[in-house]
Amino acid sequence: MTIPIPAFKHSFRITLENVADANDPEYFYAVEGLGFMYQVDKYYPGGYGNPYSMPVMYETENLTLKRPLFEKKSKITKWCEEALSTGIFKPTTAHIFILNNDKTPNNHWTAERVYPIGLRLSPLDLESGDSIVMETITLVYSKLNRIDIKA
């Protein structure tokens, strides 16, 4: 028996403060890396065999944004290229929205101290029959917050 997959359609809207604001947001097909956790060290008190876990460092994942390549460079792409080519990084705050079919926000996250570490294109291969070139932007960030959507 096969279980039908619900027909959810979402898009992802990204704004970067001082790069692509709410008046000129950019959209992506896939967003990965919304996650964080603490690294822990084991602490063994004297004379006992049971360790305690002590949080020592807050870790985030890399934020990966994917979309088809546009004919013109977007503001986010220009920001990434400039930082990666000059080595001068200007950290900013990212706002990541999951949108419903009617383009209203379903969920909202903010990522703090965001800057690019990678910009990659999918392989350019005419023999595969795939004519879409995908752009992948990889960002790092220091803190992730989920923001409640007000009804």
Side-chain angles (χ1 to χ4, degrees):
M1 179 173 114
T2 59
I3 299 171
I5 299 172
F8 293 119
K9 287 212 172 210
H10 294 289
S11 62
F12 307 98
R13 182 176 73 206
I14 309 291
T15 61
L16 294 177
E17 292 179 6
N18 303 317
V19 178
D21 61 20
N23 295 325
D24 190 20
E26 297 190 20
Y27 297 87
F28 291 84
Y29 280 17
V31 175
E32 299 173 20
L34 293 173
F36 58 90
M37 66 185 303
Y38 270 93
Q39 284 185 352
V40 294
D41 277 348
K42 298 290 184 183
Y43 169 67
Y44 297 91
Y48 295 101
N50 296 332
Y52 293 100
S53 294
M54 302 295 290
V56 292
M57 188 184 317
Y58 181 87
E59 273 190 338
T60 59
E61 299 178 22
N62 288 342
L63 186 61
T64 305
L65 311 174
K66 297 179 183 180
R67 65 177 170 198
L69 184 66
F70 297 131
E71 288 183 26
K72 290 183 155 187
K73 291 181 188 178
S74 71
K75 290 180 180 181
I76 291 177
T77 301
K78 288 178 186 177
W79 173 75
C80 290
E81 286 179 345
E82 181 181 335
L84 295 169
S85 66
T86 64
I88 299 171
F89 299 94
K90 298 173 186 170
T92 188
T93 299
H95 297 276
I96 302 134
F97 298 91
I98 297 177
L99 303 177
N100 293 319
N101 285 338
D102 63 358
K103 302 295 184 198
T104 58
N106 180 320
N107 280 283
H108 175 201
W109 287 268
T110 60
E112 298 174 11
R113 299 201 41 82
V114 175
Y115 59 91
I117 60 168
L119 178 62
R120 186 179 72 233
L121 298 179
S122 62
L124 305 175
D125 181 10
L126 295 175
E127 292 179 2
S128 70
D130 189 8
S131 61
I132 298 175
V133 177
M134 296 295 287
E135 173 183 58
T136 301
I137 296 171
T138 305
L139 309 169
V140 294
Y141 60 97
S142 63
K143 188 173 182 185
L144 182 67
N145 296 303
R146 185 170 178 188
I147 309 297
D148 288 332
I149 300 291
K150 293 178 176 58

